[in-house]
Amino acid sequence: MDNRYETIAAIATAPGLGGVAILRLSGPEAYVIADGITRLKTPPSQRTANTFVHTSLYAADGAVLDDALVLFFRAPRSYTGEDTVEFQTHGGAVVAQQVLERLYQLGARPAGPGEFTRRAFLNGRLDLTQAEAVADVIAARTPRAERAARANLQGRLGAALEPLYEDTLRLSVETEHLLDFDEGELPDDFFLAAQARLTMLTQRAEAMLATWHEGRLVREGALVVLAGLPNAGKSTVLNLLLGYNRAIVSDEAGTTRDSLEETFVLDGVPIRLTDTAGLREAPGAIEREGVARARELLARADAVLYLIAATTTDMPPEGAIVVQTKADLLPPGAERSSLSISVKEAPEVAREALCQALRETLQLSAGETTHAALANARQFTGLTEAVEALQCANEEFARGEMGYVTAAQQLRRAAQSLGQLLGRVWSDDLLDQVFSSFCVGK
């Protein structure tokens, strides 16, 4: 339900100790409430936009809650597009909460997760891809991910999807208009022209769809699993890639009995590196459980580094990056694999060889992402549905007048899917889905 007639308030900074806490107040009664918590000669309701003042904030009984900077924003030139007042108080667990409770007493209600950004979308300040990018900027785990999210916040993804939506909608409207024609009265060249336009639209949509791999890796990271027989050197390689000793290294088989996950950054992409139990018929129940978990991780991994000690033989799973470890134990002249490393003798060379293998398998680009890229599963699913609908419409147009009605239906479906990506078509359920993962105060 659109409840923008209500005034909302929340703490916008993270909980815990800190020098400053920021409280946000937005809605039609923002300035009335701000007047109630301050005692300024020139009250907030009479102050001009984009100004601030240092003042005390008061409880209902006149006691001073805190002194604060108070910033004034007027609709529509605010983050939410509404009248907004922000309070910068002292940080900590008590002061900001007391000020927030006073704002509630004066008529504000608690803001829900992402409600400020939701209002920014509803008031036309952001499209839906930009709104999602707000959360991505906050959640970014690497500078590259932050820069990609900020580019989408500035409208890069929306600018790429907008013309695709407009062109699809235009063809859909033209097709709907011709539904009023009787059979045999349609323009002779309409079907061929529509198919040509659909082919171009599909190619553009598929090109956008191909950006999902890179966008997902930059935003979410990649799961890389270290696997192999016991004593293949998995823990040693984990420590090498991380740059510090995280896993216990021992000659005793079965030292790693459970999965151990840590993260390092490769070309701006978070790599979730998981050391697993050695794959064997384990003698104990605990180690058997570790082996079972290792096999589950192998099925979900974006890449698998399968380690085989130089002095043993093993059969790696299909698609794995096969790494021959402990190459220093090979006798002179012995055959080496294409990826043969010795952490003991040449750790830096070994690390770079492993990183290069991961770059190639994960298809990582070393440079910045300069093009628009899909950033989340909702966008990928919506664009996939649009591509399928465009392809179906093209197939139906190929049938001539026999497939005309179905083609019109598929074009409507494609336009709706693309419209939902941008927020040009939306429902409360869609917005609930998008903003439920946001933090309160944003």
Side-chain angles (χ1 to χ4, degrees), residues 404-417:
Y404 189 79
V405 173
T406 306
Q409 294 171 343
Q410 293 299 328
L411 275 171
R412 282 198 299 271
R413 176 185 161 211
Q416 181 173 15
S417 295

Side-chain angles (χ1 to χ4, degrees), residues 225-246:
V225 174
L226 296 169
L229 294 175
N231 282 339
K234 298 183 293 299
S235 296
T236 299
V237 167
L238 176 85
N239 293 338
L240 175 71
L241 289 172
L242 293 178
Y244 61 92
N245 291 332
R246 174 63 179 87

Side-chain angles (χ1 to χ4, degrees), residues 7-24:
T7 300
I8 57 175
I11 299 172
T13 43
L17 298 179
V20 176
I22 298 175
L23 294 88
R24 181 174 286 164

Side-chain angles (χ1 to χ4, degrees), residues 29 127 170 187 194 203 207 274 353 359 370 379 384 397 435:
E29 300 298 315
D127 70 29
R170 187 176 298 110
Q203 290 174 348
T274 304
R359 289 187 186 100
T370 57
Q379 295 168 2
T384 299
F397 273 131
F435 293 107

Side-chain angles (χ1 to χ4, degrees), residues 46-67:
Q46 296 179 23
R47 292 180 177 265
T48 57
N50 304 318
T51 61
F52 65 91
V53 66
H54 177 239
T55 185
S56 295
L57 306 178
Y58 295 89
D61 61 3
V64 174
L65 295 172
D66 195 18
D67 63 300

Side-chain angles (χ1 to χ4, degrees), residues 99-115:
V99 173
L100 184 62
E101 292 296 335
R102 179 59 179 150
L103 297 177
Y104 294 160
Q105 291 173 3
L106 290 166
R109 70 159 173 82
E115 190 167 2

